[in-house]
Amino acid sequence: MAYPVRPAADTESMRARIQEVAEEHFRRIGHHKTSVADIASELGMSRANVYRFFPSRDAIKESICRRVLNGTAELALTIARRSTPPSEKLQELLTAVHHHNKTRLLNDRRMHDLIVANMQENRPVIKAHAEQMVTIFEAIIREGIETGEFEIEDPAEAARAVKTAFMPFIHPILIEHCLQHCEDTDAGLREQIRFIRKAIGRSDHAR
C-alpha cells in the first residue's frame, strides 16, 4: 500500500510527538520496559506507522538520548557565551556540567540509565555530544589565549586534554561509581579544575 507524501512540517511534527510520548514513558517506566507498541498505543496509531518516522526502537531511544544531552550542551553554551574571564568561565562550565550530570543520576535515574545504555552500545549520539563539548572547551581556550590568560600553542589539543582530564566528573558510569563508594566528587572536581587551569594558564595567571 502506498502512503501519501507528507509535508516536511507534518513529518517533523509527528516525529516530535512520538519523541514526547517516548520520553514520557522512558522517564516513567524506563526505556527497557517501553515498547514501540506502548508508544503507538498512546498516540492512537499502529506500530507500523511509528516505524514510518523512526526505523527502529533503538532510533527512538537514541533520539531521546540526544534530546537529553542537548540540554547539557545548552547549559555549557550558555556559560561559554558569558562575558566573564575565560579561566572563570571554564571553571564555571566544568562545575555546572558535573553538577548537572550528578543531579540527573540522583533525581532522574531513568534518563541517566538511557545515556549509559547508549554509551555501552557505542551510539553515534554519544560521540557527537563529546565532540560538541570539546568544541565548546576549545572556544573558551582560544578566547583565553587571545586575552592572555592561557598560554597554549594548540587549543584543539588542549580542549581534548581538558575533556580527558575531566572525564571522571562527566562520565555517567564514573560519577555513579564515585557516589557508590561515597567519594567526595566536589572536592575531587575542585582539585582537577585547579590542575587544568594551572596546566593551560600562564604562570602569572594560573592559581
Side-chain angles (χ1 to χ4, degrees):
M1 176 180 177
Y3 289 102
V5 176
R6 291 175 178 268
D10 288 350
T11 297
E12 287 307 308
S13 176
M14 194 67 247
R15 281 177 58 86
R17 181 66 183 131
I18 292 170
Q19 288 174 319
E20 288 170 7
V21 170
E23 183 171 344
E24 189 277 328
H25 276 69
F26 287 177
R27 290 184 184 278
R28 182 162 50 84
I29 64 175
H31 69 92
H32 289 298
K33 296 181 180 179
T34 300
S35 66
V36 174
D38 294 329
I39 298 168
S41 177
E42 180 77 17
L43 291 164
M45 59 198 299
S46 67
R47 285 187 301 170
N49 210 8
V50 172
Y51 286 129
R52 292 174 57 202
F53 298 93
F54 290 92
S56 66
R57 179 180 174 279
D58 282 343
I60 297 174
K61 190 172 71 174
E62 188 170 354
S63 76
I64 303 307
C65 182
R66 183 177 296 106
R67 283 161 66 107
V68 175
L69 291 176
N70 282 347
T72 305
E74 282 300 320
L75 171 64
L77 281 169
T78 297
I79 295 170
R81 290 167 178 156
R82 290 177 183 165
S83 57
T84 51
S87 60
E88 294 179 16
K89 199 181 305 188
L90 185 61
Q91 176 172 335
E92 184 180 357
L93 188 155
L94 295 175
T95 302
V97 170
H98 170 64
H99 288 160
H100 181 76
N101 289 355
K102 185 164 71 171
T103 299
R104 183 167 52 224
L105 166 62
L106 296 174
N107 300 331
D108 198 4
R109 180 58 189 252
R110 292 190 174 100
M111 288 298 101
H112 168 88
D113 291 343
L114 174 66
I115 293 171
V116 169
N118 276 271
M119 296 182 79
Q120 292 173 333
E121 294 163 9
N122 200 28
R123 297 287 172 185
V125 64
I126 299 299
K127 181 179 179 181
H129 176 69
E131 290 174 350
Q132 185 177 15
M133 294 300 294
V134 169
T135 298
I136 296 170
F137 294 156
E138 183 179 344
I140 295 175
I141 292 169
R142 287 185 182 277
E143 182 183 349
I145 293 172
E146 292 171 3
T147 61
E149 277 195 89
F150 299 152
E151 192 170 29
I152 290 291
E153 292 183 2
D154 188 339
E157 181 181 58
R160 292 191 295 271
V162 168
K163 187 202 82 169
T164 300
F166 191 54
M167 190 60 68
F169 305 97
I170 58 175
H171 195 296
I173 297 175
L174 297 179
I175 293 174
E176 185 174 355
H177 175 81
C178 288
L179 294 182
Q180 285 175 344
H181 290 79
C182 300
E183 296 181 21
D184 187 346
T185 59
D186 285 341
L189 174 68
R190 289 190 295 270
E191 291 175 1
Q192 194 70 331
I193 288 175
R194 283 195 294 270
F195 171 78
I196 290 171
R197 290 179 63 175
K198 192 170 184 178
I200 66 176
R202 284 173 45 185
S203 58
D204 55 340
H205 280 85
R207 57 183 185 275

